[in-house]
Tab-separated table of all heavy atoms in Angstrom:
chain	number	residue	atom	x	y	z
A	5	LEU	N	-265.237	-7.328	74.099
A	5	LEU	CA	-265.110	-6.019	74.742
A	5	LEU	C	-263.643	-5.815	75.050
A	5	LEU	O	-263.100	-6.420	75.975
A	5	LEU	CB	-265.948	-5.959	76.023
A	5	LEU	CG	-265.733	-4.743	76.931
A	5	LEU	CD1	-266.094	-3.447	76.212
A	5	LEU	CD2	-266.528	-4.891	78.225
A	6	SER	N	-262.975	-4.970	74.246
A	6	SER	CA	-261.539	-4.771	74.364
A	6	SER	C	-261.228	-3.506	75.157
A	6	SER	O	-262.121	-2.848	75.693
A	6	SER	CB	-260.930	-4.712	72.960
A	6	SER	OG	-259.523	-4.603	73.023
A	7	ALA	N	-259.939	-3.185	75.224
A	7	ALA	CA	-259.492	-1.958	75.889
A	7	ALA	C	-259.416	-0.853	74.843
A	7	ALA	O	-260.400	-0.533	74.205
A	7	ALA	CB	-258.151	-2.196	76.574
A	8	ALA	N	-258.234	-0.273	74.629
A	8	ALA	CA	-258.085	0.786	73.624
A	8	ALA	C	-257.917	0.184	72.235
A	8	ALA	O	-257.318	-0.880	72.070
A	8	ALA	CB	-256.878	1.663	73.961
A	9	ALA	N	-258.421	0.877	71.246
A	9	ALA	CA	-258.373	0.364	69.872
A	9	ALA	C	-256.946	0.228	69.352
A	9	ALA	O	-256.692	-0.548	68.431
A	9	ALA	CB	-259.171	1.291	68.954
A	10	ASN	N	-255.993	0.961	69.944
A	10	ASN	CA	-254.605	0.905	69.490
A	10	ASN	C	-253.722	0.018	70.356
A	10	ASN	O	-252.511	-0.062	70.115
A	10	ASN	CB	-254.009	2.319	69.471
A	10	ASN	CG	-254.656	3.198	68.431
A	10	ASN	OD1	-254.856	2.787	67.299
A	10	ASN	ND2	-255.002	4.422	68.804
A	11	ALA	N	-254.277	-0.631	71.374
A	11	ALA	CA	-253.467	-1.442	72.284
A	11	ALA	C	-252.880	-2.651	71.545
A	11	ALA	O	-253.613	-3.481	71.013
A	11	ALA	CB	-254.305	-1.896	73.464
A	12	THR	N	-251.557	-2.746	71.539
A	12	THR	CA	-250.873	-3.777	70.757
A	12	THR	C	-251.272	-5.176	71.180
A	12	THR	O	-251.585	-6.037	70.342
A	12	THR	CB	-249.347	-3.627	70.917
A	12	THR	OG1	-248.986	-2.258	70.725
A	12	THR	CG2	-248.610	-4.495	69.912
A	13	ASN	N	-251.250	-5.426	72.494
A	13	ASN	CA	-251.542	-6.779	72.952
A	13	ASN	C	-252.986	-7.165	72.670
A	13	ASN	O	-253.271	-8.271	72.202
A	13	ASN	CB	-251.216	-6.935	74.440
A	13	ASN	CG	-251.923	-5.922	75.327
A	13	ASN	OD1	-252.522	-4.954	74.856
A	13	ASN	ND2	-251.866	-6.138	76.633
A	14	GLN	N	-253.918	-6.238	72.918
A	14	GLN	CA	-255.327	-6.517	72.660
A	14	GLN	C	-255.570	-6.867	71.192
A	14	GLN	O	-256.278	-7.831	70.870
A	14	GLN	CB	-256.174	-5.297	73.036
A	14	GLN	CG	-256.098	-4.892	74.494
A	14	GLN	CD	-256.974	-5.744	75.381
A	14	GLN	OE1	-258.125	-6.004	75.056
A	14	GLN	NE2	-256.432	-6.192	76.505
A	15	ASN	N	-254.986	-6.082	70.307
A	15	ASN	CA	-255.215	-6.297	68.880
A	15	ASN	C	-254.625	-7.617	68.400
A	15	ASN	O	-255.209	-8.301	67.547
A	15	ASN	CB	-254.647	-5.130	68.075
A	15	ASN	CG	-255.471	-3.866	68.245
A	15	ASN	OD1	-256.645	-3.920	68.587
A	15	ASN	ND2	-254.854	-2.717	68.023
A	16	GLU	N	-253.472	-7.984	68.951
A	16	GLU	CA	-252.886	-9.267	68.563
A	16	GLU	C	-253.765	-10.414	69.042
A	16	GLU	O	-254.028	-11.361	68.295
A	16	GLU	CB	-251.479	-9.410	69.146
A	16	GLU	CG	-250.790	-10.705	68.715
A	16	GLU	CD	-249.351	-10.794	69.167
A	16	GLU	OE1	-248.941	-9.980	70.023
A	16	GLU	OE2	-248.636	-11.685	68.667
A	17	TRP	N	-254.239	-10.343	70.287
A	17	TRP	CA	-255.111	-11.403	70.802
A	17	TRP	C	-256.405	-11.487	70.007
A	17	TRP	O	-256.875	-12.580	69.702
A	17	TRP	CB	-255.431	-11.152	72.276
A	17	TRP	CG	-254.245	-11.168	73.182
A	17	TRP	CD1	-253.061	-11.823	72.984
A	17	TRP	CD2	-254.110	-10.489	74.430
A	17	TRP	NE1	-252.209	-11.591	74.032
A	17	TRP	CE2	-252.829	-10.770	74.936
A	17	TRP	CE3	-254.956	-9.652	75.169
A	17	TRP	CZ2	-252.373	-10.263	76.153
A	17	TRP	CZ3	-254.503	-9.149	76.378
A	17	TRP	CH2	-253.225	-9.455	76.871
A	18	ILE	N	-256.986	-10.330	69.683
A	18	ILE	CA	-258.242	-10.332	68.935
A	18	ILE	C	-258.058	-10.976	67.565
A	18	ILE	O	-258.877	-11.795	67.123
A	18	ILE	CB	-258.800	-8.904	68.810
A	18	ILE	CG1	-259.273	-8.399	70.176
A	18	ILE	CG2	-259.954	-8.849	67.809
A	18	ILE	CD1	-259.583	-6.923	70.219
A	19	LYS	N	-256.978	-10.609	66.885
A	19	LYS	CA	-256.705	-11.209	65.576
A	19	LYS	C	-256.578	-12.723	65.688
A	19	LYS	O	-257.152	-13.477	64.882
A	19	LYS	CB	-255.424	-10.623	64.996
A	19	LYS	CG	-255.023	-11.235	63.666
A	19	LYS	CD	-253.688	-10.690	63.172
A	19	LYS	CE	-253.241	-11.384	61.894
A	19	LYS	NZ	-251.903	-10.916	61.456
A	20	LEU	N	-255.854	-13.184	66.699
A	20	LEU	CA	-255.661	-14.620	66.881
A	20	LEU	C	-256.950	-15.311	67.311
A	20	LEU	O	-257.209	-16.454	66.910
A	20	LEU	CB	-254.550	-14.869	67.904
A	20	LEU	CG	-253.142	-14.476	67.435
A	20	LEU	CD1	-252.171	-14.462	68.605
A	20	LEU	CD2	-252.655	-15.439	66.347
A	21	MET	N	-257.786	-14.623	68.089
A	21	MET	CA	-259.086	-15.200	68.458
A	21	MET	C	-259.982	-15.343	67.234
A	21	MET	O	-260.680	-16.354	67.080
A	21	MET	CB	-259.765	-14.344	69.527
A	21	MET	CG	-259.205	-14.551	70.926
A	21	MET	SD	-260.219	-13.783	72.233
A	21	MET	CE	-259.679	-12.082	72.124
A	22	GLU	N	-259.964	-14.339	66.369
A	22	GLU	CA	-260.747	-14.422	65.133
A	22	GLU	C	-260.295	-15.610	64.286
A	22	GLU	O	-261.128	-16.346	63.727
A	22	GLU	CB	-260.595	-13.126	64.342
A	22	GLU	CG	-261.274	-11.932	64.986
A	22	GLU	CD	-260.941	-10.613	64.313
A	22	GLU	OE1	-259.955	-10.573	63.532
A	22	GLU	OE2	-261.645	-9.614	64.560
A	23	GLU	N	-258.985	-15.804	64.209
A	23	GLU	CA	-258.454	-16.924	63.429
A	23	GLU	C	-258.823	-18.261	64.053
A	23	GLU	O	-259.184	-19.219	63.348
A	23	GLU	CB	-256.936	-16.796	63.307
A	23	GLU	CG	-256.489	-15.604	62.467
A	23	GLU	CD	-254.978	-15.400	62.487
A	23	GLU	OE1	-254.285	-16.153	63.222
A	23	GLU	OE2	-254.490	-14.497	61.785
A	24	GLU	N	-258.764	-18.335	65.379
A	24	GLU	CA	-259.115	-19.568	66.074
A	24	GLU	C	-260.597	-19.887	65.914
A	24	GLU	O	-260.970	-21.054	65.681
A	24	GLU	CB	-258.761	-19.432	67.562
A	24	GLU	CG	-259.197	-20.595	68.440
A	24	GLU	CD	-258.485	-21.897	68.130
A	24	GLU	OE1	-257.430	-21.868	67.467
A	24	GLU	OE2	-259.010	-22.951	68.541
A	25	LEU	N	-261.446	-18.896	65.995
A	25	LEU	CA	-262.873	-19.115	65.796
A	25	LEU	C	-263.159	-19.620	64.385
A	25	LEU	O	-263.927	-20.575	64.195
A	25	LEU	CB	-263.645	-17.817	66.054
A	25	LEU	CG	-263.803	-17.384	67.507
A	25	LEU	CD1	-264.334	-15.962	67.585
A	25	LEU	CD2	-264.743	-18.329	68.260
A	26	ALA	N	-262.546	-18.975	63.402
A	26	ALA	CA	-262.792	-19.355	62.010
A	26	ALA	C	-262.307	-20.770	61.715
A	26	ALA	O	-262.958	-21.520	60.975
A	26	ALA	CB	-262.106	-18.359	61.075
A	27	ALA	N	-261.182	-21.132	62.311
A	27	ALA	CA	-260.576	-22.432	61.994
A	27	ALA	C	-261.225	-23.591	62.735
A	27	ALA	O	-261.363	-24.691	62.170
A	27	ALA	CB	-259.082	-22.387	62.314
A	28	ASN	N	-261.626	-23.369	63.990
A	28	ASN	CA	-262.018	-24.500	64.824
A	28	ASN	C	-263.391	-24.392	65.476
A	28	ASN	O	-263.813	-25.328	66.159
A	28	ASN	CB	-260.965	-24.701	65.920
A	28	ASN	CG	-259.603	-25.048	65.343
A	28	ASN	OD1	-259.485	-25.947	64.522
A	28	ASN	ND2	-258.585	-24.309	65.754
A	29	HIS	N	-264.082	-23.269	65.272
A	29	HIS	CA	-265.401	-23.110	65.896
A	29	HIS	C	-266.377	-22.514	64.885
A	29	HIS	O	-266.840	-21.373	65.035
A	29	HIS	CB	-265.294	-22.231	67.143
A	29	HIS	CG	-264.377	-22.787	68.190
A	29	HIS	ND1	-264.793	-23.680	69.152
A	29	HIS	CD2	-263.040	-22.583	68.397
A	29	HIS	CE1	-263.762	-23.996	69.924
A	29	HIS	NE2	-262.698	-23.345	69.487
A	30	PRO	N	-266.738	-23.277	63.862
A	30	PRO	CA	-267.576	-22.743	62.780
A	30	PRO	C	-268.972	-22.334	63.220
A	30	PRO	O	-269.628	-21.552	62.516
A	30	PRO	CB	-267.630	-23.911	61.780
A	30	PRO	CG	-267.371	-25.131	62.608
A	30	PRO	CD	-266.384	-24.692	63.645
A	31	ASN	N	-269.425	-22.826	64.355
A	31	ASN	CA	-270.783	-22.508	64.812
A	31	ASN	C	-270.828	-21.322	65.770
A	31	ASN	O	-271.896	-20.975	66.275
A	31	ASN	CB	-271.408	-23.737	65.479
A	31	ASN	CG	-271.624	-24.874	64.493
A	31	ASN	OD1	-271.975	-24.643	63.344
A	31	ASN	ND2	-271.384	-26.093	64.935
A	32	ILE	N	-269.675	-20.721	66.026
A	32	ILE	CA	-269.637	-19.507	66.835
A	32	ILE	C	-269.405	-18.324	65.907
A	32	ILE	O	-268.476	-18.314	65.106
A	32	ILE	CB	-268.526	-19.566	67.901
A	32	ILE	CG1	-268.796	-20.696	68.900
A	32	ILE	CG2	-268.424	-18.230	68.649
A	32	ILE	CD1	-267.735	-20.832	69.974
A	33	LYS	N	-270.239	-17.311	66.018
A	33	LYS	CA	-270.142	-16.132	65.171
A	33	LYS	C	-269.744	-14.914	66.009
A	33	LYS	O	-270.439	-14.555	66.961
A	33	LYS	CB	-271.471	-15.856	64.474
A	33	LYS	CG	-271.448	-14.639	63.549
A	33	LYS	CD	-272.803	-14.405	62.908
A	33	LYS	CE	-272.777	-13.177	61.994
A	33	LYS	NZ	-274.121	-12.923	61.406
A	34	LEU	N	-268.624	-14.294	65.660
A	34	LEU	CA	-268.210	-13.052	66.310
A	34	LEU	C	-268.948	-11.904	65.640
A	34	LEU	O	-268.709	-11.579	64.480
A	34	LEU	CB	-266.699	-12.860	66.180
A	34	LEU	CG	-266.126	-11.561	66.764
A	34	LEU	CD1	-266.399	-11.460	68.257
A	34	LEU	CD2	-264.628	-11.461	66.475
A	35	VAL	N	-269.862	-11.272	66.380
A	35	VAL	CA	-270.746	-10.272	65.772
A	35	VAL	C	-270.220	-8.844	65.890
A	35	VAL	O	-270.558	-7.980	65.080
A	35	VAL	CB	-272.165	-10.351	66.361
A	35	VAL	CG1	-272.823	-11.669	65.965
A	35	VAL	CG2	-272.161	-10.181	67.875
A	36	GLN	N	-269.381	-8.574	66.911
A	36	GLN	CA	-268.889	-7.203	67.072
A	36	GLN	C	-267.738	-7.164	68.075
A	36	GLN	O	-267.699	-7.944	69.027
A	36	GLN	CB	-270.017	-6.270	67.558
A	36	GLN	CG	-269.657	-4.784	67.511
A	36	GLN	CD	-270.827	-3.894	67.886
A	36	GLN	OE1	-271.913	-4.365	68.218
A	36	GLN	NE2	-270.612	-2.591	67.830
A	37	THR	N	-266.809	-6.237	67.825
A	37	THR	CA	-265.761	-5.912	68.797
A	37	THR	C	-265.907	-4.444	69.159
A	37	THR	O	-265.978	-3.590	68.277
A	37	THR	CB	-264.361	-6.169	68.217
A	37	THR	OG1	-264.211	-7.570	67.930
A	37	THR	CG2	-263.270	-5.738	69.192
A	38	VAL	N	-265.968	-4.157	70.461
A	38	VAL	CA	-266.107	-2.779	70.932
A	38	VAL	C	-264.964	-2.463	71.887
A	38	VAL	O	-264.290	-3.365	72.406
A	38	VAL	CB	-267.464	-2.542	71.622
A	38	VAL	CG1	-268.602	-2.743	70.637
A	38	VAL	CG2	-267.636	-3.452	72.838
A	39	TYR	N	-264.769	-1.166	72.136
A	39	TYR	CA	-263.603	-0.722	72.908
A	39	TYR	C	-264.045	0.157	74.083
A	39	TYR	O	-264.666	1.194	73.898
A	39	TYR	CB	-262.636	0.040	72.009
A	39	TYR	CG	-262.172	-0.796	70.845
A	39	TYR	CD1	-262.858	-0.777	69.629
A	39	TYR	CD2	-261.087	-1.651	70.976
A	39	TYR	CE1	-262.455	-1.568	68.565
A	39	TYR	CE2	-260.673	-2.452	69.919
A	39	TYR	CZ	-261.365	-2.411	68.724
A	39	TYR	OH	-260.960	-3.207	67.676
A	40	GLY	N	-263.675	-0.276	75.284
A	40	GLY	CA	-264.010	0.481	76.486
A	40	GLY	C	-262.884	1.356	76.981
A	40	GLY	O	-263.029	2.046	78.001
A	41	ASP	N	-261.733	1.334	76.292
A	41	ASP	CA	-260.588	2.188	76.612
A	41	ASP	C	-260.103	2.036	78.052
A	41	ASP	O	-259.572	2.974	78.640
A	41	ASP	CB	-260.923	3.660	76.333
A	41	ASP	CG	-261.098	3.927	74.845
A	41	ASP	OD1	-260.484	3.206	74.042
A	41	ASP	OD2	-261.850	4.848	74.491
A	42	ASP	N	-260.272	0.845	78.612
A	42	ASP	CA	-259.868	0.589	79.998
A	42	ASP	C	-260.454	1.612	80.963
A	42	ASP	O	-259.842	1.992	81.961
A	42	ASP	CB	-258.339	0.526	80.130
A	42	ASP	CG	-257.816	-0.901	79.971
A	42	ASP	OD1	-258.629	-1.834	80.043
A	42	ASP	OD2	-256.602	-1.066	79.780
A	43	ASP	N	-261.648	2.060	80.646
A	43	ASP	CA	-262.410	2.962	81.508
A	43	ASP	C	-263.632	2.198	82.018
A	43	ASP	O	-264.389	1.630	81.222
A	43	ASP	CB	-262.841	4.198	80.723
A	43	ASP	CG	-263.678	5.146	81.559
A	43	ASP	OD1	-263.091	5.966	82.277
A	43	ASP	OD2	-264.927	5.051	81.502
């Protein structure tokens, strides 16, 4: 559950989290990313 879809910091963290999950947590599946726009 992220903030705004264009938020630079959020998108960088999400990309790195996806990479970390793929590399070191094969049994965890990221099923969806949604955006609450900090609302």
Side-chain angles (χ1 to χ4, degrees):
L5 170 62
S6 184
N10 293 315
T12 312
N13 56 349
Q14 299 280 314
N15 288 337
E16 183 174 13
W17 298 334
I18 291 169
K19 177 184 176 184
L20 291 167
M21 282 191 280
E22 290 171 344
E23 293 173 356
E24 174 66 17
L25 286 169
N28 297 310
H29 300 273
N31 294 323
I32 296 179
K33 181 181 179 182
L34 177 60
V35 293
Q36 190 175 2
T37 297
V38 297
Y39 302 91
D41 292 332
D42 268 345
D43 178 85

